[in-house]
Amino acid sequence: MSRGILFVVSAPAGCGKDSILEKALSKDINLTYSVSATTRTMRAGETEGISYYFKSREEFEKMIKDGELLEHTEYCGNYYGTPKQTVEEILADGKNVVLKIEIEGAGNVKKMLPEAVLIFILPPSMEELSRRLHKRGTEDEETIQKRLKQAETEISCAHSYDYVIVNGDLDAAVNDFVSIIKAEGFRAERNAELISGLNK
Amino acid sequence: MSRGILFVVSAPAGCGKDSILEKALSKDINLTYSVSATTRTMRAGETEGISYYFKSREEFEKMIKDGELLEHTEYCGNYYGTPKQTVEEILADGKNVVLKIEIEGAGNVKKMLPEAVLIFILPPSMEELSRRLHKRGTEDEETIQKRLKQAETEISCAHSYDYVIVNGDLDAAVNDFVSIIKAEGFRAERNAELISGLNK
């Protein structure tokens, strides 16, 4: 059985990465979501162990110290990190894994695992992103402005990703995402055994 | 308008590259087929300017001399080559181009245009390939055996392609092919203007 592929998805807040992932995970593309750990506050509608593993700063710093994280980063004053063992087990089991992590964390994963595939989700425009952040109504104006500023900085890092998708229409963006997951499975370097097997 | 992407498809005889291409070209993936030139004999059902540009050896050698070919190669005693200007015009027009060329020619295209995307189509097994070659009944047994031997050599070159697809079920192979065409359009390096445009 061949090893699964590690996908990393990043997007500025309000670009719909959660919606895209939720829909993509229901498709027949052998994809498993690996839950991140964070010290940020749980939001309405979030669930421990599904949205994130919610940790105290002390707990999180112990995970760092014990080498239990594939990567970790501090973002807007909170820690975010990827539990290493879970990812490794899913990949070894031949399943594709998707991580949802911030720019710096994504870069760190790519450094440690260059075969990881990085996907960045873009908004159709900054105006539309602003509209969506206001519409979701979970943050005050100051936080929204901070997030828009942050989004600009993040988007300038999209060049260093492998792929970019524009989330204008959700279903179209999900299809685009699925094409990438499928296509990466056809990479020749991931099918060396298949090729050799025909020349036995 | 961004430049189109150049795709190159290779496959041993009998792997169904013509059927895959025909179906893929009817999909909404902005893909245009660029007809090759060859000195091989026209087969039943083939049409000048659609299947190939059929040339005499003298005509073909003049095209080589005049630098009119992106690549050319000699295969099973015949010349095959890709007219340069046609490909360039289609790409400049923002359309994706697909070329159907043999291993050596594909390698030459990749050397000249490293951004070209190479796709190799594999048979499900050598037994199935043999069955298909016999079934199509266009060649005598000696030619079929020569093609099977040739197929083994060709398949050993699939490692150097970007992608490999197995043509077991035609519709599935077409879908796989379409995923690759779509996904390559989302490559970050091909969307630099889109990314920069969001940060104006």
Side-chain angles (χ1 to χ4, degrees):
Chain A
M1 183 178 53
S2 63
R3 192 175 155 84
I5 307 169
L6 178 59
F7 294 93
V8 176
V9 175
S10 303
C15 288
K17 61 178 178 301
D18 293 335
S19 310
I20 292 176
L21 280 186
E22 191 185 330
K23 288 210 166 198
L25 285 162
S26 72
K27 307 260 178 185
D28 185 23
I29 48 173
N30 189 29
L31 189 65
T32 301
Y33 177 62
S34 179
V35 178
S36 297
T38 186
T39 57
R40 86 149 163 72
T41 315
M42 197 188 290
R43 290 193 200 130
E46 290 186 331
T47 312
E48 160 67 20
I50 293 178
S51 315
Y52 283 99
Y53 297 111
F54 294 95
K55 304 283 179 188
S56 69
R57 286 191 78 86
E58 294 66 36
E59 289 170 326
F60 201 100
E61 284 166 359
K62 185 171 187 314
M63 291 174 80
I64 299 173
K65 205 171 119 252
D66 294 349
E68 289 175 17
L69 297 172
L70 180 62
E71 58 75 38
H72 72 276
T73 188
E74 209 163 349
Y75 176 79
C76 295
N78 294 302
Y79 278 128
Y80 293 81
T82 306
K84 194 189 286 178
Q85 201 189 340
T86 323
V87 171
E88 196 40 58
E89 282 171 1
I90 307 173
L91 291 175
D93 197 28
K95 292 180 187 138
N96 300 322
V97 174
V98 63
L99 306 175
K100 191 178 62 181
I101 47 186
E102 311 308 324
I103 316 283
E104 195 190 326
N108 289 338
V109 169
K110 189 80 177 182
K111 263 179 235 153
M112 286 181 63
L113 303 168
E115 72 275 22
V117 177
L118 271 50
I119 304 172
F120 196 98
I121 299 166
L122 295 166
S125 67
M126 294 310 287
E127 294 71 25
E128 173 62 16
L129 181 60
S130 170
R131 201 186 63 75
R132 288 186 194 167
L133 286 176
H134 282 93
K135 197 179 163 200
R136 93 179 176 184
T138 49
E139 286 133 348
D140 59 27
E141 188 60 29
E142 194 192 328
T143 309
I144 289 177
Q145 290 308 321
K146 197 172 149 192
R147 290 206 180 272
L148 281 171
K149 196 82 196 153
Q150 183 77 26
E152 283 190 16
T153 312
E154 290 174 348
I155 289 170
S156 69
C157 299
H159 295 281
S160 65
Y161 278 62
D162 295 302
Y163 296 95
V164 294
I165 289 174
V166 175
N167 185 10
D169 172 73
L170 179 61
D171 287 329
V174 172
N175 285 337
D176 296 350
F177 184 82
V178 168
S179 310
I180 295 170
I181 308 298
K182 287 182 67 184
E184 281 291 328
F186 304 128
R187 286 252 157 215
E189 71 261 28
R190 296 202 174 93
N191 289 281
E193 282 180 36
L194 174 73
I195 298 167
S196 308
L198 285 166
N199 267 331
K200 60 215 165 302
Chain B
M1 184 179 51
S2 63
R3 192 175 155 84
I5 307 168
L6 178 58
F7 294 93
V8 176
V9 175
S10 303
C15 287
K17 60 178 177 302
D18 293 335
S19 310
I20 291 176
L21 279 186
E22 193 186 327
K23 289 211 166 199
L25 285 161
S26 71
K27 307 261 178 184
D28 186 22
I29 47 173
N30 189 30
L31 189 64
T32 301
Y33 177 62
S34 180
V35 177
S36 298
T38 185
T39 57
R40 86 148 162 73
T41 315
M42 196 187 292
R43 288 192 200 131
E46 289 187 331
T47 312
E48 161 67 21
I50 292 178
S51 314
Y52 283 99
Y53 297 111
F54 293 95
K55 304 283 179 188
S56 69
R57 285 192 79 85
E58 293 68 34
E59 288 169 327
F60 200 99
E61 283 167 0
K62 188 173 184 314
M63 291 174 80
I64 298 173
K65 204 170 119 254
D66 295 348
E68 288 176 16
L69 297 172
L70 180 61
E71 58 75 37
H72 72 276
T73 188
E74 210 165 348
Y75 176 78
C76 294
N78 293 302
Y79 279 129
Y80 293 80
T82 306
K84 196 190 285 179
Q85 202 188 339
T86 323
V87 170
E88 196 40 58
E89 282 171 4
I90 307 173
L91 291 175
D93 198 28
K95 291 180 186 136
N96 301 322
V97 174
V98 63
L99 305 174
K100 192 179 61 182
I101 47 186
E102 311 309 323
I103 316 283
E104 195 189 326
N108 289 338
V109 169
K110 190 79 177 183
K111 264 178 232 153
M112 287 181 63
L113 303 168
E115 72 274 24
V117 177
L118 272 50
I119 304 173
F120 196 99
I121 299 166
L122 295 166
S125 67
M126 293 312 286
E127 294 71 25
E128 174 61 17
L129 181 60
S130 171
R131 201 187 62 76
R132 289 187 193 167
L133 286 175
H134 282 92
K135 197 179 162 198
R136 91 181 179 186
T138 50
E139 285 133 348
D140 59 26
E141 186 61 28
E142 194 191 329
T143 310
I144 289 177
Q145 290 307 321
K146 198 173 148 190
R147 290 206 181 274
L148 282 170
K149 196 83 196 153
Q150 184 76 26
E152 283 189 15
T153 311
E154 290 175 350
I155 288 168
S156 69
C157 299
H159 294 283
S160 66
Y161 279 61
D162 296 302
Y163 295 96
V164 294
I165 289 174
V166 175
N167 185 10
D169 172 74
L170 179 60
D171 286 329
V174 172
N175 285 338
D176 296 349
F177 184 81
V178 167
S179 311
I180 295 170
I181 308 297
K182 288 182 67 187
E184 281 291 327
F186 304 128
R187 286 250 155 216
E189 70 261 28
R190 296 202 174 92
N191 289 282
E193 283 180 34
L194 173 74
I195 298 167
S196 308
L198 285 166
N199 267 332
K200 55 209 173 294

